[in-house]
Amino acid sequence: SYVAYNALYNEWDFGALVRTAWIDQSILGPPIGASSDGYLYQHETSNDGDGQAITAYFKTGYFSIANGNDLVFVDRVLPDMIWGTYSGNKNAEIQISFNVVDYAGETPRTLGPYTVTKATQYIDTRFRARFVQIVVQSSDVGSFWRLGSMRYRFSSDGRR
């Protein structure tokens, strides 16, 4: 098992990883862990897990684009991403979905997933809601991406 603390965000993380011994740094660089199967593993050397894609996934909390009781109509979302490392490939492919509701506790309506790459200028979404939740995921080999600040084209669309 492991426990990690992020001092910047004051958050703890924990989980299970089958390792019997561990060193966080060595003359080889990244961390090295020993497993009960007799292998040594050097960690954090690529964006993949031993040549296999690592599924990246996160979901935001619900947030409001407009103030008060107003519903909004969102017809376009402009993704803001970093595609790849400084010297690496810029070929990541992610999927973005939007869960939308008018009131807390409602069953969300899901739009997407929309496939987004470096060439994607915008996503045509066309939803009307009060609260939005964003789901971002990817599972392609060798890619790196980082989410920035997405922008929305919206207009007030009345009250319900």
Side-chain angles (χ1 to χ4, degrees):
S1 296
Y2 68 88
V3 175
Y5 177 71
N6 183 326
L8 180 64
Y9 295 109
N10 195 26
E11 295 176 343
W12 289 93
D13 187 23
F14 61 92
L17 187 62
V18 182
R19 298 291 182 264
T20 57
W22 192 271
I23 185 165
D24 64 346
Q25 54 185 305
S26 70
I27 59 171
L28 301 175
I32 295 176
S35 176
S36 59
D37 61 6
Y39 288 98
L40 293 176
Y41 293 92
Q42 187 171 28
H43 290 261
E44 302 171 23
T45 60
S46 76
N47 298 328
D48 301 320
D50 198 20
Q52 302 297 315
I54 295 175
T55 300
Y57 172 90
F58 72 88
K59 185 187 311 187
T60 69
Y62 281 94
F63 60 92
S64 176
I65 295 176
N67 294 326
N69 289 325
D70 291 339
L71 293 168
V72 295
F73 176 72
V74 177
D75 69 341
R76 186 169 284 180
V77 176
L78 285 75
D80 178 19
M81 310 288 290
I82 301 291
W83 299 101
T85 59
Y86 179 74
S87 60
N89 292 329
K90 314 273 191 276
N91 61 349
E93 181 176 288
I94 65 169
Q95 287 74 44
I96 299 177
S97 298
F98 301 92
N99 295 325
V100 297
V101 295
D102 294 336
Y103 297 99
E106 280 186 342
T107 301
R109 300 178 310 274
T110 300
L111 292 92
Y114 300 96
T115 299
V116 178
T117 65
K118 183 177 178 169
T120 304
Q121 294 180 348
Y122 57 87
I123 304 167
D124 283 321
T125 54
R126 302 189 55 78
F127 63 81
R128 180 180 187 256
R130 185 171 285 120
F131 301 105
V132 181
Q133 178 183 59
I134 303 172
V135 179
V136 180
Q137 57 191 1
S138 72
S139 59
D140 50 340
V141 176
S143 72
F144 175 90
W145 55 268
R146 187 170 59 213
L147 182 65
S149 178
M150 288 208 252
R151 307 247 186 318
Y152 307 88
R153 185 169 77 176
F154 67 93
S155 62
S156 183
D157 200 34
R159 295 181 181 202
R160 200 181 277 178

